Amino acid sequence: MAYTTEARITDLIGADLTAAIRTASEGPINLADYIADADAEIDGRLRQRYVTPFAQLTDTPATPALISTVSRYLVAASLFARHRPEQPHALYFRAKADEILVGLLSGDFEIDANQQGSAAQRRGFLVKRSDPVFAGVNSQGAQRTKGW
């Protein structure tokens, strides 16, 4: 699963900064691991509202643009936070990613509703989008989370 690429991350933070982060590290940095971690976080946070995992970049259609952007922001934040979690770049990229994820969960941002399922979804059974079990309102309009 990959919602972004190493090249897109380098484009985001710049080749010089990418090289500096790799040079200053206490060992090799495997960007594929950072990408996988970011993608797993996206899937975990959005699974209540969207069918996850999303399509990969190599699928047709490819990963939705907002998901790819969030993945890049999360990877950039992790790279900058590797040495100093309070580093301004790390905080900036993390805040941008969280802003988009919260917007997607709240409905302020929307992914194309007609997206095709990922390859994993197409192999198994049909998954229909529905409201999360414990969120929103029931058929009578009452809050499902009342009393929690």
Side-chain angles (χ1 to χ4, degrees):
M1 153 178 49
Y3 299 154
T4 192
T5 64
E6 292 185 22
R8 288 182 175 187
I9 294 164
T10 301
D11 289 345
L12 176 66
I13 62 176
D16 293 341
L17 276 175
T18 303
I21 291 169
R22 287 181 182 250
T23 303
S25 296
E26 300 172 357
I29 291 180
N30 185 355
L31 280 180
D33 290 341
Y34 282 87
I35 292 170
D37 291 345
D39 295 350
E41 180 177 346
I42 292 167
D43 289 343
R45 288 183 66 181
L46 296 180
R47 70 186 173 101
Q48 292 181 355
R49 182 168 162 90
Y50 296 98
V51 177
T52 60
F54 294 97
Q56 297 183 32
L57 283 176
T58 56
D59 287 348
T60 303
T63 305
L66 274 177
I67 300 303
S68 182
T69 299
V70 171
S71 183
R72 281 194 311 274
Y73 288 166
L74 289 173
V75 172
S78 296
L79 287 174
F80 283 117
R82 182 177 170 117
H83 300 290
R84 287 187 24 224
E86 72 283 355
Q87 205 264 359
H89 289 86
L91 297 175
Y92 171 78
F93 283 118
R94 184 65 203 202
K96 292 297 286 180
D98 285 340
E99 177 185 345
I100 295 171
L101 287 170
V102 168
L104 286 169
L105 282 172
S106 68
D108 291 340
F109 301 136
E110 193 63 50
I111 295 174
D112 182 17
N114 296 325
Q115 72 176 17
Q116 284 187 350
S118 67
Q121 294 161 350
R122 289 191 298 270
R123 283 194 300 265
F125 51 88
L126 177 64
V127 177
K128 294 183 180 181
R129 284 179 46 172
S130 64
D131 289 333
V133 176
F134 295 108
V137 295
N138 63 17
S139 60
Q140 289 82 31
Q143 290 286 334
R144 291 185 180 145
T145 56
K146 189 174 183 179
W148 279 76

